[in-house]
Amino acid sequence: MGQEYEQGSVTTYGETAEIIAKLGILPLAALIPGHPSLNGLTKPENWHTGTDLDPWSWRAQFPGEGLAGYGKFIKKKAILVSREWFPAFVAAVGSTKSIEERYKDGLASKEAVTLLQIVREHEGIDTRKLRAEADMKAKEKKTAFDNSVTELQGSLDMVISGIKQRLNDEGEVNGWSSTSFETVSHWMSDNGLSAFEGDREEAIAWIQTKMNGVWSPTAIAWTNKAFSWN
């Protein structure tokens, strides 16, 4: 890894955008051995400051501007995937079956089916509204909700499309901001991305070719194992 990937070497959104474009995949926190993360690249003192230099706010800006898909795509951890890589990533990692088919086969939870159907009807819906629509506002249903939302990101059915500010009746910011969700197909269409032309094996080969010479051998080996691409 070169100087550009050293701890605290990145300060701006633009610098991070260039690194995501070059690497294709950038986790928010340390995850892939021998591979950078947003947390590792940036300066700790800039996080959660609410300024233009706050990497925590960039995580919503990248998908909002169509520069990267964002979600818990690898081992239930948050990842940014560049727009160039995203169609191949969806084809290489996502399920080829619909959520309804997977549910019939016992491969998806009923809650996940319900949530995805709501997101399809209300693209960009935020967490609070999604929980309300799914009748999952009760405290004892929070774990099932969180698990289902993570499940849908891992299967590449859904992405985190942005962060919405909570507003009061007067339209003023009031309380914590809330994550919003879109289906993968809607986010791609909205940002001028077409589905990958090829099957899963071709998509994997495309990504592996991109990794070679850019990623460390350790990072490539770990990712191949994580997705059973060997």
Side-chain angles (χ1 to χ4, degrees):
M1 294 287 158
Q3 170 117 24
E4 64 193 304
Y5 304 134
E6 286 180 5
Q7 175 83 36
S9 61
V10 174
T11 308
T12 68
Y13 176 77
E15 289 167 343
T16 309
E18 287 177 18
I19 289 172
I20 293 171
K22 184 175 180 181
L23 293 177
I25 294 173
L26 185 70
L28 250 65
L31 174 67
I32 305 170
H35 193 74
S37 68
L38 182 62
N39 188 36
L41 288 170
T42 51
K43 295 174 172 60
E45 62 267 24
N46 287 339
W47 281 76
H48 305 292
T49 55
T51 68
D52 288 344
L53 301 181
D54 181 0
W56 185 241
S57 65
W58 301 345
R59 80 197 196 286
Q61 198 173 342
F62 283 115
E65 294 183 359
L67 294 181
Y70 174 54
K72 293 181 177 178
F73 302 140
I74 304 178
K75 294 185 178 288
K76 301 180 180 180
K77 303 296 183 186
I79 311 292
L80 289 155
V81 181
S82 75
R83 64 176 288 116
E84 185 194 359
W85 283 41
F86 196 75
F89 186 79
V90 172
V93 177
S95 177
T96 54
K97 293 181 176 180
S98 72
I99 188 84
E100 290 81 7
E101 289 174 309
R102 298 200 311 273
Y103 175 65
K104 281 180 190 168
D105 295 341
L107 300 173
S109 67
K110 190 167 194 317
E111 290 88 352
V113 177
T114 301
L115 292 177
L116 187 61
Q117 287 170 345
I118 293 166
V119 173
R120 283 174 185 157
E121 291 169 18
H122 306 279
E123 298 283 1
I125 191 170
D126 72 25
T127 302
R128 289 183 193 85
K129 288 180 182 169
L130 182 56
R131 282 183 74 177
E133 289 278 337
D135 193 24
M136 295 179 79
K137 283 182 78 175
K139 198 177 276 188
E140 61 270 20
K141 293 185 179 180
K142 186 179 186 303
T143 300
F145 176 84
D146 290 343
N147 288 345
S148 300
V149 164
T150 300
E151 176 188 334
L152 288 166
Q153 292 168 67
S155 56
L156 273 296
D157 286 296
M158 189 169 82
V159 293
I160 296 171
S161 57
I163 311 296
K164 291 187 175 176
Q165 293 286 355
R166 189 175 189 181
L167 305 177
N168 62 18
D169 293 339
E170 284 75 48
E172 298 163 335
V173 174
N174 177 30
W176 291 100
S177 57
S178 183
T179 305
S180 56
F181 302 101
E182 282 179 38
T183 59
V184 163
S185 57
H186 187 271
W187 184 84
M188 286 177 65
S189 173
D190 240 19
N191 289 289
L193 295 174
S194 302
F196 183 79
E197 291 184 8
D199 60 19
R200 183 173 185 268
E201 281 64 39
E202 289 169 314
I204 292 168
W206 187 96
I207 291 173
Q208 288 173 331
T209 300
K210 288 284 187 180
M211 287 175 167
N212 287 331
V214 180
W215 284 39
S216 72
T218 306
I220 292 171
W222 185 92
T223 305
N224 283 336
K225 187 177 180 185
F227 289 126
S228 304
W229 284 352
N230 294 327

